[in-house]
Amino acid sequence: MELLSALSLGELALSFSRVPLFPVFDLSYFIVSILYLKYEPGAVELSRRHPVASWLCAMLHCFGSYILADLLLGEPLIDYFSNNSSVLLASAVWYLIFFCPLDLFYKCVCFLPVKLIFVAMKEVVRVRKIAVGIHHAHHHYHHGWFVMIATGWVKGSGVALMSHAEQLLRGVWKPETNEVLHMSFPTKASLYGAVLFTLQQTRWLPVSKASLIFVFTLFMVSCKVFLTATHSHSSPFDVLEGYMCPVLFGAGWGGEQHHHDNHGGSPAAGPGLQHPVLPAKAREELGEGARKKKTKKAD
């Protein structure tokens, strides 16, 4: 705090924490969230054949974190949908992205410099949601650290954590894409951020909430904008986790990544993978060829 005051950042952080999110930042959050929905295979066809299901998927992408947080805290799941302005704004974004003539709106928001601005503004909303979620959980459970962390986590990455529900609305079932098993950078960052904000809320972290919001927002915006600009799916936490996880959990980190990297069947993949298993159709063809050779020899 003394360093922040010396650098005259204390007042800046306080002013930043008071910036209203609606409508500008919320609009950016809705645009990026529904863009990711349109990137999903079959999402455009679904919007043409089943527009109500597509709209519900879009609402889950926009408000899934609020639904999960209400579920954890035992509050009505549709409570946030009473906010008519936000629902109407999200619905308008969904319609423009999927049904705007000539896809003009979609092409404009997908233009990379414009998209990076929206991505940065979405991260501002994400960090604020984590902080608000932990404050809300602290109001109900003053000493429930794990409740506060869980609430802040789902507030920051609830859309990813409930992806299976959204997939079912699209008629897709992919259990192998479990976000808990394959955490993306926003999900990991939301979890770590929830821990930091919980420590701050319980007075174990000697820093003001405004300063923590400001610093963590800078970190999230920088990382997410860089990853989006470079089209990277890596995580800034990979290096640290690569050193810490083998020490803490006694297992070689990166085994799962090694598994994914060896889908191509490279020669250096190891002795167990040097003889790839042939598909069933190829085995049938080889078996048929062997039978023909035997028949010719018998003839």
Side-chain angles (χ1 to χ4, degrees), residues 188 236-248 251-254:
K188 288 183 180 180
F237 305 118
D238 288 344
V239 177
L240 179 62
E241 291 171 348
Y243 286 104
M244 295 297 296
C245 288
V247 176
L248 295 176
W253 183 257

mmCIF file with all atom_site columns, all heavy atoms in Angstrom, residues 188 236-248 251-254:
data_model
loop_
_atom_site.group_PDB
_atom_site.id
_atom_site.type_symbol
_atom_site.label_atom_id
_atom_site.label_alt_id
_atom_site.label_comp_id
_atom_site.label_asym_id
_atom_site.label_entity_id
_atom_site.label_seq_id
_atom_site.pdbx_PDB_ins_code
_atom_site.Cartn_x
_atom_site.Cartn_y
_atom_site.Cartn_z
_atom_site.occupancy
_atom_site.B_iso_or_equiv
_atom_site.pdbx_formal_charge
_atom_site.auth_seq_id
_atom_site.auth_comp_id
_atom_site.auth_asym_id
_atom_site.auth_atom_id
_atom_site.pdbx_PDB_model_num
ATOM 1   N N   . LYS A 1 188 ? -8.184 -21.219 -14.572 1.00 0.00 ? 188 LYS A N   1
ATOM 2   C CA  . LYS A 1 188 ? -7.107 -21.243 -13.580 1.00 0.00 ? 188 LYS A CA  1
ATOM 3   C C   . LYS A 1 188 ? -6.929 -19.877 -12.934 1.00 0.00 ? 188 LYS A C   1
ATOM 4   O O   . LYS A 1 188 ? -6.784 -19.764 -11.702 1.00 0.00 ? 188 LYS A O   1
ATOM 5   C CB  . LYS A 1 188 ? -5.792 -21.670 -14.239 1.00 0.00 ? 188 LYS A CB  1
ATOM 6   C CG  . LYS A 1 188 ? -5.715 -23.132 -14.629 1.00 0.00 ? 188 LYS A CG  1
ATOM 7   C CD  . LYS A 1 188 ? -4.342 -23.445 -15.192 1.00 0.00 ? 188 LYS A CD  1
ATOM 8   C CE  . LYS A 1 188 ? -4.225 -24.916 -15.600 1.00 0.00 ? 188 LYS A CE  1
ATOM 9   N NZ  . LYS A 1 188 ? -2.884 -25.207 -16.146 1.00 0.00 ? 188 LYS A NZ  1
ATOM 10  N N   . PRO A 1 236 ? 0.088  -18.774 -18.815 1.00 0.00 ? 236 PRO A N   1
ATOM 11  C CA  . PRO A 1 236 ? 1.279  -18.235 -18.129 1.00 0.00 ? 236 PRO A CA  1
ATOM 12  C C   . PRO A 1 236 ? 1.641  -19.019 -16.879 1.00 0.00 ? 236 PRO A C   1
ATOM 13  O O   . PRO A 1 236 ? 2.757  -18.882 -16.375 1.00 0.00 ? 236 PRO A O   1
ATOM 14  C CB  . PRO A 1 236 ? 0.846  -16.803 -17.771 1.00 0.00 ? 236 PRO A CB  1
ATOM 15  C CG  . PRO A 1 236 ? -0.263 -16.486 -18.698 1.00 0.00 ? 236 PRO A CG  1
ATOM 16  C CD  . PRO A 1 236 ? -0.982 -17.772 -18.941 1.00 0.00 ? 236 PRO A CD  1
ATOM 17  N N   . PHE A 1 237 ? 0.717  -19.839 -16.382 1.00 0.00 ? 237 PHE A N   1
ATOM 18  C CA  . PHE A 1 237 ? 0.987  -20.617 -15.178 1.00 0.00 ? 237 PHE A CA  1
ATOM 19  C C   . PHE A 1 237 ? 1.698  -21.937 -15.476 1.00 0.00 ? 237 PHE A C   1
ATOM 20  O O   . PHE A 1 237 ? 2.089  -22.644 -14.548 1.00 0.00 ? 237 PHE A O   1
ATOM 21  C CB  . PHE A 1 237 ? -0.321 -20.926 -14.444 1.00 0.00 ? 237 PHE A CB  1
ATOM 22  C CG  . PHE A 1 237 ? -1.125 -19.699 -14.109 1.00 0.00 ? 237 PHE A CG  1
ATOM 23  C CD1 . PHE A 1 237 ? -2.395 -19.519 -14.640 1.00 0.00 ? 237 PHE A CD1 1
ATOM 24  C CD2 . PHE A 1 237 ? -0.621 -18.732 -13.262 1.00 0.00 ? 237 PHE A CD2 1
ATOM 25  C CE1 . PHE A 1 237 ? -3.139 -18.397 -14.334 1.00 0.00 ? 237 PHE A CE1 1
ATOM 26  C CE2 . PHE A 1 237 ? -1.359 -17.603 -12.944 1.00 0.00 ? 237 PHE A CE2 1
ATOM 27  C CZ  . PHE A 1 237 ? -2.622 -17.431 -13.484 1.00 0.00 ? 237 PHE A CZ  1
ATOM 28  N N   . ASP A 1 238 ? 1.847  -22.279 -16.747 1.00 0.00 ? 238 ASP A N   1
ATOM 29  C CA  . ASP A 1 238 ? 2.390  -23.594 -17.097 1.00 0.00 ? 238 ASP A CA  1
ATOM 30  C C   . ASP A 1 238 ? 3.801  -23.801 -16.555 1.00 0.00 ? 238 ASP A C   1
ATOM 31  O O   . ASP A 1 238 ? 4.137  -24.885 -16.064 1.00 0.00 ? 238 ASP A O   1
ATOM 32  C CB  . ASP A 1 238 ? 2.383  -23.783 -18.621 1.00 0.00 ? 238 ASP A CB  1
ATOM 33  C CG  . ASP A 1 238 ? 0.976  -23.976 -19.169 1.00 0.00 ? 238 ASP A CG  1
ATOM 34  O OD1 . ASP A 1 238 ? 0.063  -24.266 -18.365 1.00 0.00 ? 238 ASP A OD1 1
ATOM 35  O OD2 . ASP A 1 238 ? 0.791  -23.830 -20.392 1.00 0.00 ? 238 ASP A OD2 1
ATOM 36  N N   . VAL A 1 239 ? 4.640  -22.780 -16.652 1.00 0.00 ? 239 VAL A N   1
ATOM 37  C CA  . VAL A 1 239 ? 6.025  -22.921 -16.204 1.00 0.00 ? 239 VAL A CA  1
ATOM 38  C C   . VAL A 1 239 ? 6.086  -23.151 -14.698 1.00 0.00 ? 239 VAL A C   1
ATOM 39  O O   . VAL A 1 239 ? 6.764  -24.064 -14.212 1.00 0.00 ? 239 VAL A O   1
ATOM 40  C CB  . VAL A 1 239 ? 6.838  -21.669 -16.586 1.00 0.00 ? 239 VAL A CB  1
ATOM 41  C CG1 . VAL A 1 239 ? 8.261  -21.780 -16.043 1.00 0.00 ? 239 VAL A CG1 1
ATOM 42  C CG2 . VAL A 1 239 ? 6.862  -21.491 -18.102 1.00 0.00 ? 239 VAL A CG2 1
ATOM 43  N N   . LEU A 1 240 ? 5.342  -22.334 -13.941 1.00 0.00 ? 240 LEU A N   1
ATOM 44  C CA  . LEU A 1 240 ? 5.340  -22.485 -12.483 1.00 0.00 ? 240 LEU A CA  1
ATOM 45  C C   . LEU A 1 240 ? 4.757  -23.828 -12.071 1.00 0.00 ? 240 LEU A C   1
ATOM 46  O O   . LEU A 1 240 ? 5.305  -24.515 -11.189 1.00 0.00 ? 240 LEU A O   1
ATOM 47  C CB  . LEU A 1 240 ? 4.541  -21.347 -11.852 1.00 0.00 ? 240 LEU A CB  1
ATOM 48  C CG  . LEU A 1 240 ? 4.415  -21.364 -10.325 1.00 0.00 ? 240 LEU A CG  1
ATOM 49  C CD1 . LEU A 1 240 ? 5.800  -21.246 -9.692  1.00 0.00 ? 240 LEU A CD1 1
ATOM 50  C CD2 . LEU A 1 240 ? 3.508  -20.235 -9.854  1.00 0.00 ? 240 LEU A CD2 1
ATOM 51  N N   . GLU A 1 241 ? 3.670  -24.227 -12.718 1.00 0.00 ? 241 GLU A N   1
ATOM 52  C CA  . GLU A 1 241 ? 3.054  -25.512 -12.390 1.00 0.00 ? 241 GLU A CA  1
ATOM 53  C C   . GLU A 1 241 ? 3.967  -26.670 -12.764 1.00 0.00 ? 241 GLU A C   1
ATOM 54  O O   . GLU A 1 241 ? 3.960  -27.719 -12.115 1.00 0.00 ? 241 GLU A O   1
ATOM 55  C CB  . GLU A 1 241 ? 1.714  -25.633 -13.115 1.00 0.00 ? 241 GLU A CB  1
ATOM 56  C CG  . GLU A 1 241 ? 0.655  -24.685 -12.579 1.00 0.00 ? 241 GLU A CG  1
ATOM 57  C CD  . GLU A 1 241 ? -0.587 -24.671 -13.435 1.00 0.00 ? 241 GLU A CD  1
ATOM 58  O OE1 . GLU A 1 241 ? -0.540 -25.229 -14.559 1.00 0.00 ? 241 GLU A OE1 1
ATOM 59  O OE2 . GLU A 1 241 ? -1.603 -24.109 -12.997 1.00 0.00 ? 241 GLU A OE2 1
ATOM 60  N N   . GLY A 1 242 ? 4.749  -26.492 -13.816 1.00 0.00 ? 242 GLY A N   1
ATOM 61  C CA  . GLY A 1 242 ? 5.668  -27.538 -14.223 1.00 0.00 ? 242 GLY A CA  1
ATOM 62  C C   . GLY A 1 242 ? 6.720  -27.842 -13.170 1.00 0.00 ? 242 GLY A C   1
ATOM 63  O O   . GLY A 1 242 ? 7.203  -28.971 -13.070 1.00 0.00 ? 242 GLY A O   1
ATOM 64  N N   . TYR A 1 243 ? 7.087  -26.835 -12.376 1.00 0.00 ? 243 TYR A N   1
ATOM 65  C CA  . TYR A 1 243 ? 8.053  -27.049 -11.303 1.00 0.00 ? 243 TYR A CA  1
ATOM 66  C C   . TYR A 1 243 ? 7.381  -27.462 -9.993  1.00 0.00 ? 243 TYR A C   1
ATOM 67  O O   . TYR A 1 243 ? 7.935  -28.277 -9.240  1.00 0.00 ? 243 TYR A O   1
ATOM 68  C CB  . TYR A 1 243 ? 8.866  -25.765 -11.070 1.00 0.00 ? 243 TYR A CB  1
ATOM 69  C CG  . TYR A 1 243 ? 9.888  -25.489 -12.145 1.00 0.00 ? 243 TYR A CG  1
ATOM 70  C CD1 . TYR A 1 243 ? 9.666  -24.511 -13.102 1.00 0.00 ? 243 TYR A CD1 1
ATOM 71  C CD2 . TYR A 1 243 ? 11.085 -26.212 -12.197 1.00 0.00 ? 243 TYR A CD2 1
ATOM 72  C CE1 . TYR A 1 243 ? 10.592 -24.246 -14.098 1.00 0.00 ? 243 TYR A CE1 1
ATOM 73  C CE2 . TYR A 1 243 ? 12.026 -25.958 -13.188 1.00 0.00 ? 243 TYR A CE2 1
ATOM 74  C CZ  . TYR A 1 243 ? 11.770 -24.975 -14.134 1.00 0.00 ? 243 TYR A CZ  1
ATOM 75  O OH  . TYR A 1 243 ? 12.689 -24.732 -15.113 1.00 0.00 ? 243 TYR A OH  1
ATOM 76  N N   . MET A 1 244 ? 6.217  -26.904 -9.719  1.00 0.00 ? 244 MET A N   1
ATOM 77  C CA  . MET A 1 244 ? 5.593  -27.105 -8.418  1.00 0.00 ? 244 MET A CA  1
ATOM 78  C C   . MET A 1 244 ? 4.842  -28.429 -8.304  1.00 0.00 ? 244 MET A C   1
ATOM 79  O O   . MET A 1 244 ? 4.912  -29.098 -7.268  1.00 0.00 ? 244 MET A O   1
ATOM 80  C CB  . MET A 1 244 ? 4.628  -25.949 -8.126  1.00 0.00 ? 244 MET A CB  1
ATOM 81  C CG  . MET A 1 244 ? 5.302  -24.603 -7.977  1.00 0.00 ? 244 MET A CG  1
ATOM 82  S SD  . MET A 1 244 ? 6.454  -24.542 -6.581  1.00 0.00 ? 244 MET A SD  1
ATOM 83  C CE  . MET A 1 244 ? 5.332  -24.785 -5.215  1.00 0.00 ? 244 MET A CE  1
ATOM 84  N N   . CYS A 1 245 ? 4.121  -28.811 -9.356  1.00 0.00 ? 245 CYS A N   1
ATOM 85  C CA  . CYS A 1 245 ? 3.263  -29.992 -9.262  1.00 0.00 ? 245 CYS A CA  1
ATOM 86  C C   . CYS A 1 245 ? 4.037  -31.285 -9.008  1.00 0.00 ? 245 CYS A C   1
ATOM 87  O O   . CYS A 1 245 ? 3.596  -32.101 -8.198  1.00 0.00 ? 245 CYS A O   1
ATOM 88  C CB  . CYS A 1 245 ? 2.405  -30.111 -10.518 1.00 0.00 ? 245 CYS A CB  1
ATOM 89  S SG  . CYS A 1 245 ? 1.106  -28.849 -10.594 1.00 0.00 ? 245 CYS A SG  1
ATOM 90  N N   . PRO A 1 246 ? 5.181  -31.540 -9.669  1.00 0.00 ? 246 PRO A N   1
ATOM 91  C CA  . PRO A 1 246 ? 5.922  -32.767 -9.327  1.00 0.00 ? 246 PRO A CA  1
ATOM 92  C C   . PRO A 1 246 ? 6.387  -32.793 -7.878  1.00 0.00 ? 246 PRO A C   1
ATOM 93  O O   . PRO A 1 246 ? 6.449  -33.848 -7.263  1.00 0.00 ? 246 PRO A O   1
ATOM 94  C CB  . PRO A 1 246 ? 7.107  -32.732 -10.298 1.00 0.00 ? 246 PRO A CB  1
ATOM 95  C CG  . PRO A 1 246 ? 6.657  -31.884 -11.428 1.00 0.00 ? 246 PRO A CG  1
ATOM 96  C CD  . PRO A 1 246 ? 5.794  -30.837 -10.813 1.00 0.00 ? 246 PRO A CD  1
ATOM 97  N N   . VAL A 1 247 ? 6.705  -31.621 -7.326  1.00 0.00 ? 247 VAL A N   1
ATOM 98  C CA  . VAL A 1 247 ? 7.160  -31.563 -5.936  1.00 0.00 ? 247 VAL A CA  1
ATOM 99  C C   . VAL A 1 247 ? 6.000  -31.795 -4.971  1.00 0.00 ? 247 VAL A C   1
ATOM 100 O O   . VAL A 1 247 ? 6.115  -32.545 -4.000  1.00 0.00 ? 247 VAL A O   1
ATOM 101 C CB  . VAL A 1 247 ? 7.836  -30.205 -5.657  1.00 0.00 ? 247 VAL A CB  1
ATOM 102 C CG1 . VAL A 1 247 ? 8.223  -30.099 -4.177  1.00 0.00 ? 247 VAL A CG1 1
ATOM 103 C CG2 . VAL A 1 247 ? 9.050  -30.028 -6.545  1.00 0.00 ? 247 VAL A CG2 1
ATOM 104 N N   . LEU A 1 248 ? 4.865  -31.154 -5.254  1.00 0.00 ? 248 LEU A N   1
ATOM 105 C CA  . LEU A 1 248 ? 3.726  -31.220 -4.331  1.00 0.00 ? 248 LEU A CA  1
ATOM 106 C C   . LEU A 1 248 ? 2.950  -32.519 -4.447  1.00 0.00 ? 248 LEU A C   1
ATOM 107 O O   . LEU A 1 248 ? 2.462  -33.054 -3.443  1.00 0.00 ? 248 LEU A O   1
ATOM 108 C CB  . LEU A 1 248 ? 2.791  -30.035 -4.584  1.00 0.00 ? 248 LEU A CB  1
ATOM 109 C CG  . LEU A 1 248 ? 3.363  -28.645 -4.277  1.00 0.00 ? 248 LEU A CG  1
ATOM 110 C CD1 . LEU A 1 248 ? 2.359  -27.567 -4.657  1.00 0.00 ? 248 LEU A CD1 1
ATOM 111 C CD2 . LEU A 1 248 ? 3.719  -28.526 -2.804  1.00 0.00 ? 248 LEU A CD2 1
ATOM 112 N N   . ALA A 1 251 ? 4.123  -36.466 -9.022  1.00 0.00 ? 251 ALA A N   1
ATOM 113 C CA  . ALA A 1 251 ? 3.884  -37.016 -10.358 1.00 0.00 ? 251 ALA A CA  1
ATOM 114 C C   . ALA A 1 251 ? 4.514  -36.100 -11.374 1.00 0.00 ? 251 ALA A C   1
ATOM 115 O O   . ALA A 1 251 ? 4.607  -34.891 -11.172 1.00 0.00 ? 251 ALA A O   1
ATOM 116 C CB  . ALA A 1 251 ? 2.384  -37.152 -10.627 1.00 0.00 ? 251 ALA A CB  1
ATOM 117 N N   . GLY A 1 252 ? 4.942  -36.688 -12.477 1.00 0.00 ? 252 GLY A N   1
ATOM 118 C CA  . GLY A 1 252 ? 5.540  -35.899 -13.539 1.00 0.00 ? 252 GLY A CA  1
ATOM 119 C C   . GLY A 1 252 ? 4.526  -35.002 -14.192 1.00 0.00 ? 252 GLY A C   1
ATOM 120 O O   . GLY A 1 252 ? 3.494  -35.450 -14.664 1.00 0.00 ? 252 GLY A O   1
ATOM 121 N N   . TRP A 1 253 ? 4.771  -33.692 -14.184 1.00 0.00 ? 253 TRP A N   1
ATOM 122 C CA  . TRP A 1 253 ? 3.845  -32.743 -14.804 1.00 0.00 ? 253 TRP A CA  1
ATOM 123 C C   . TRP A 1 253 ? 4.058  -32.759 -16.305 1.00 0.00 ? 253 TRP A C   1
ATOM 124 O O   . TRP A 1 253 ? 5.151  -32.901 -16.806 1.00 0.00 ? 253 TRP A O   1
ATOM 125 C CB  . TRP A 1 253 ? 4.100  -31.357 -14.257 1.00 0.00 ? 253 TRP A CB  1
ATOM 126 C CG  . TRP A 1 253 ? 3.152  -30.324 -14.792 1.00 0.00 ? 253 TRP A CG  1
ATOM 127 C CD1 . TRP A 1 253 ? 3.401  -29.388 -15.746 1.00 0.00 ? 253 TRP A CD1 1
ATOM 128 C CD2 . TRP A 1 253 ? 1.806  -30.131 -14.399 1.00 0.00 ? 253 TRP A CD2 1
ATOM 129 N NE1 . TRP A 1 253 ? 2.285  -28.634 -15.966 1.00 0.00 ? 253 TRP A NE1 1
ATOM 130 C CE2 . TRP A 1 253 ? 1.295  -29.058 -15.155 1.00 0.00 ? 253 TRP A CE2 1
ATOM 131 C CE3 . TRP A 1 253 ? 0.965  -30.770 -13.485 1.00 0.00 ? 253 TRP A CE3 1
ATOM 132 C CZ2 . TRP A 1 253 ? -0.012 -28.611 -15.018 1.00 0.00 ? 253 TRP A CZ2 1
ATOM 133 C CZ3 . TRP A 1 253 ? -0.329 -30.317 -13.343 1.00 0.00 ? 253 TRP A CZ3 1
ATOM 134 C CH2 . TRP A 1 253 ? -0.810 -29.255 -14.100 1.00 0.00 ? 253 TRP A CH2 1
ATOM 135 N N   . GLY A 1 254 ? 2.957  -32.615 -17.038 1.00 0.00 ? 254 GLY A N   1
ATOM 136 C CA  . GLY A 1 254 ? 3.043  -32.590 -18.489 1.00 0.00 ? 254 GLY A CA  1
ATOM 137 C C   . GLY A 1 254 ? 2.742  -33.914 -19.118 1.00 0.00 ? 254 GLY A C   1
ATOM 138 O O   . GLY A 1 254 ? 2.850  -34.061 -20.329 1.00 0.00 ? 254 GLY A O   1
#
